[in-house]
Amino acid sequence: MEPIKGNLVMIAQRRICFAMLELDEGRIKKIVILEDQEVAGEPYIIPGFVDSHVHIESSMLVPAEFARLAVVHGTVATVSDPHEIANVCGMEGVQYMIDNGKTVPFKFNFGAPSCVPATSFETAGARLGVEEVEALLQNPEIRYLSEMMNFPGVLAGDPEVMEKIKAAHRAGKPVDGHAPGLRGAAARQYADAIADAAAGLPGTDHECFTEEEALDKLNAGMKILIREGSAARNFEALIGLLKNYPDAIMFCSDDKHPDSLEAGHINELCARAVARGIDLFHVLQAACINPVLHYKLDVGLLKEGDPADLVLVEDLQHFRPVKTYINGMLVALNGETFIDTSPAPVINHFECPPVLSSDFRVQAAGSREVPVIEALDGQLITSRLLMAPLLEEGCYVSDPAQDLLKITVVNRYRKAAPAVSFVKNFGLKRGAMASSVAHDSHNIIAVGVDDESLCRAVNLVIAEKGGVVAVDRAQEAIVPLPVAGLMSNADGYEVAAAYTAVDQMVKGMGATLNAPFMTLSFMALLVIPALKLSDKGLFDGQKFEFVVPGK
């Protein structure tokens, strides 16, 4: 293997020098210091970037295609929770992700989904109980217990929840947390429950909305993942913590659509952090070092004997990758991916029949005002409003004039009546948008200005057995997602282009959200307050109960 020369960024030593890396069989055989200081005009050698928490399925790409796009941005590894496909296809879905990830030179590190289904208040396609979770944790290819979203169950000491956590501890693997809004004593109780104190394995949390919340969790011993995805964006609120907690912070995307992944990844967060005046070595520690140490990943950290997982970047301000290496293999050069893929096989679970426009009729009853989901741009949380929908012939209908639209969730696993409610802030003036990506059970979710458009959009998703769809009068656009109704098995760049087209179409129809389809997918995420919609009805995520109609 040819040696690699450049300005070596030695993060632990907080120094930069000009060096040569000698490689042998995919590892760094020797590091030779050529100059004790950096040399102008030479690229900088840094460890590869690691996304410390991501659902690959949210990219709408199978793992191999995700890797093709990610390496261009210097990403060499991910810590990936496959609970999206697990909610659809169970254990078979988890194994699908592992197997597909092995087809490319990229370091995927999958977890054992802890909450499948996420709640008992929705219909999912599978269930992973204690026995299944324990079996997964015995697999050396499973690195951790994925986000424990049932934080009420943790606080209440639910036997099944606690047994899954104990199974991870017995396996010597860390537990990822998921406790949005938890503060004070409750945050400490949760942190203590998921941590394995004897093994020195603290939990993590990627759901902090404010610095104060994150500080409570840091003080309770948790590690904080700063998330910046396509919809949920917490970077600005939390990045200041990196100044004082460099050992306890990591970067993640959580959920990133294909157009966002094509544009950039963890490298973008590094550039933004340095521009904010955060210490360079702290930034690279969060982006490259901390995930490897916390999850005990087989990812190199620029030491002799390590796997040669590294990136050459033009400078330490923009972090534009020139070359990306994984196990000494050049996988990307100047924006071009060198990873080759072949079409992936298809697995799915999609059984519902077509719907009728009359299925979305909402009969007016009781109070003139109804509970309304208020979508918040850049957040997974929602607000709860009381508003009076437009009334026509005894039925509530969408009212684009006050941006009050119908939202529906349709059971994809069997025939059932759609759940219908109202949502604000999508901004559509015409037509409808629909998707089979609806966290976490991935039923069909749609928003529209009239019942006919809703019906067309939902039926297009059903016909394709998964996809994201926009309908506007006679115009239709769809990105088919045949793999579990979540992912395409087509070329990643082609999927990104197709998704960009449907995204622009809904924005042309009036959608005002930055990532309308990503936001739509979270309107069914019951474990995030305040108000969400499942296939069984409108749900209060704070009280953890269904909303009584008319209240």
Side-chain angles (χ1 to χ4, degrees), residues 75-335:
T75 304
V76 301
T78 61
V79 179
S80 310
D81 179 0
H83 81 201
E84 313 299 355
I85 196 170
N87 269 283
V88 177
C89 299
M91 296 283 275
E92 181 188 6
V94 177
Q95 192 60 49
Y96 179 96
M97 301 298 279
I98 293 171
D99 291 344
N100 185 260
K102 288 180 180 178
T103 65
V104 292
F106 188 89
K107 299 193 173 182
F108 292 104
N109 299 276
F110 291 104
S114 67
C115 300
V116 176
T119 74
S120 60
F121 303 99
E122 57 198 310
T123 303
R127 173 179 174 78
L128 299 186
V130 173
E131 183 178 341
E132 290 81 9
V133 168
E134 192 150 25
L136 285 171
L137 288 165
Q138 296 305 311
N139 183 343
E141 294 176 307
I142 295 292
R143 296 284 186 167
Y144 65 107
L145 182 66
S146 299
E147 52 186 316
M148 178 49 74
M149 297 183 291
N150 188 358
F151 67 86
V154 173
L155 298 180
D158 177 272
E160 181 174 350
V161 168
M162 302 313 293
E163 193 54 42
K164 289 177 180 178
I165 293 171
K166 290 175 185 176
H169 293 171
R170 287 193 296 271
K173 297 178 179 181
V175 178
D176 267 9
H178 179 287
L182 219 56
R183 299 286 307 274
R188 181 167 293 278
Q189 180 187 346
Y190 180 83
D192 289 344
I194 67 171
D196 185 351
L201 291 175
T204 64
D205 191 274
H206 60 275
E207 291 290 349
C208 296
F209 304 121
T210 67
E211 187 173 285
E212 293 74 19
E213 178 188 347
L215 280 169
D216 274 9
K217 291 171 180 173
L218 285 166
N219 291 331
M222 300 183 81
K223 295 186 177 181
I224 297 300
L225 281 52
I226 297 179
R227 171 179 59 190
E228 193 78 352
S230 293
R233 300 171 181 269
N234 309 120
F235 178 90
E236 294 298 332
L238 304 180
I239 190 59
L241 294 168
L242 187 51
K243 295 178 180 178
N244 297 320
Y245 297 90
D247 295 330
I249 303 293
M250 304 177 226
F251 292 148
C252 78
S253 63
D254 197 1
D255 297 283
K256 201 168 181 68
H257 271 175
D259 56 338
S260 298
L261 180 61
E262 185 180 17
H265 201 193
I266 302 301
N267 59 323
E268 290 186 327
L269 302 189
C270 292
R272 289 172 61 185
V274 168
R276 289 282 298 268
I278 307 295
D279 178 85
L280 166 70
F281 298 103
H282 287 1
V283 171
L284 292 179
Q285 185 172 342
C288 311
I289 306 296
N290 291 343
V292 176
L293 299 180
H294 178 75
Y295 293 100
K296 299 181 175 63
L297 307 181
D298 183 24
V299 176
L301 297 178
L302 288 184
K303 298 177 183 177
E304 290 184 352
D306 277 4
D309 305 323
L310 54 96
V311 186
L312 274 66
V313 295
E314 287 184 350
D315 58 51
L316 299 175
Q317 290 80 43
H318 303 97
F319 297 93
R320 179 186 174 277
V322 178
K323 296 179 179 180
T324 304
Y325 291 86
I326 298 178
N327 287 338
M329 180 187 300
L330 182 65
V331 292
L333 172 66
N334 290 323

Side-chain angles (χ1 to χ4, degrees), residues 498-544:
Y499 176 77
T500 297
V502 74
D503 178 72
Q504 290 302 312
M505 180 173 167
V506 297
K507 288 175 179 174
M509 292 154 54
T512 54
L513 296 164
N514 178 65
F517 279 103
M518 185 68 84
T519 300
L520 177 66
S521 73
F522 290 116
M523 295 300 100
L525 184 56
L526 307 189
V527 296
I528 302 287
L531 208 58
K532 297 293 174 72
L533 184 66
S534 88
D535 66 292
K536 297 181 179 181
L538 195 60
F539 188 77
D540 187 321
Q542 292 171 317
K543 297 179 180 178
F544 240 63

Side-chain angles (χ1 to χ4, degrees), residues 287-548:
C288 311
I289 306 296
N290 291 343
V292 176
L293 299 180
H294 178 75
Y295 293 100
K296 299 181 175 63
L297 307 181
D298 183 24
V299 176
L301 297 178
L302 288 184
K303 298 177 183 177
E304 290 184 352
D306 277 4
D309 305 323
L310 54 96
V311 186
L312 274 66
V313 295
E314 287 184 350
D315 58 51
L316 299 175
Q317 290 80 43
H318 303 97
F319 297 93
R320 179 186 174 277
V322 178
K323 296 179 179 180
T324 304
Y325 291 86
I326 298 178
N327 287 338
M329 180 187 300
L330 182 65
V331 292
L333 172 66
N334 290 323
E336 180 183 359
T337 185
F338 288 171
I339 292 180
D340 292 323
T341 59
S342 55
V346 168
I347 62 171
N348 210 338
H349 187 177
F350 220 107
E351 311 299 336
C352 63
V355 295
L356 303 172
S357 60
S358 58
D359 292 333
F360 303 105
R361 187 176 297 129
V362 178
Q363 198 73 34
S367 171
R368 183 70 180 84
E369 293 185 325
V370 299
V372 172
I373 302 167
E374 183 183 27
L376 303 175
D377 204 7
Q379 298 290 348
L380 304 191
I381 56 172
T382 63
S383 297
R384 175 177 178 157
L385 304 176
L386 279 175
M387 296 182 67
L390 195 62
L391 192 60
E392 290 184 357
E393 298 179 353
C395 293
Y396 293 132
V397 298
S398 292
D399 185 3
Q402 59 173 336
D403 192 14
L404 185 58
L405 306 178
K406 276 187 182 177
I407 182 170
T408 184
V409 175
V410 180
N411 189 318
R412 71 182 285 196
Y413 304 106
R414 58 179 172 82
K415 183 177 181 179
V420 185
S421 190
F422 288 88
V423 68
K424 185 175 177 59
N425 285 348
F426 271 82
L428 291 180
K429 303 299 184 185
R430 308 182 307 276
M433 56 189 293
S435 175
S436 56
V437 180
H439 303 281
D440 279 316
S441 293
H442 301 294
N443 290 295
I444 304 167
I445 190 165
V447 168
V449 303
D450 60 82
D451 295 351
E452 290 73 22
S453 294
L454 273 176
C455 182
R456 280 178 59 207
V458 169
N459 281 336
L460 278 170
V461 173
I462 293 171
E464 292 286 348
K465 294 190 180 297
V468 292
V469 167
V471 298
D472 181 12
R473 302 188 181 105
Q475 187 179 1
E476 297 174 351
I478 183 166
V479 181
L481 301 175
V483 180
L486 300 173
M487 294 170 283
S488 171
N489 60 350
D491 176 273
Y493 288 98
E494 293 177 3
V495 176
Y499 176 77
T500 297
V502 74
D503 178 72
Q504 290 302 312
M505 180 173 167
V506 297
K507 288 175 179 174
M509 292 154 54
T512 54
L513 296 164
N514 178 65
F517 279 103
M518 185 68 84
T519 300
L520 177 66
S521 73
F522 290 116
M523 295 300 100
L525 184 56
L526 307 189
V527 296
I528 302 287
L531 208 58
K532 297 293 174 72
L533 184 66
S534 88
D535 66 292
K536 297 181 179 181
L538 195 60
F539 188 77
D540 187 321
Q542 292 171 317
K543 297 179 180 178
F544 240 63
E545 63 186 25
F546 286 111
V547 176
V548 177

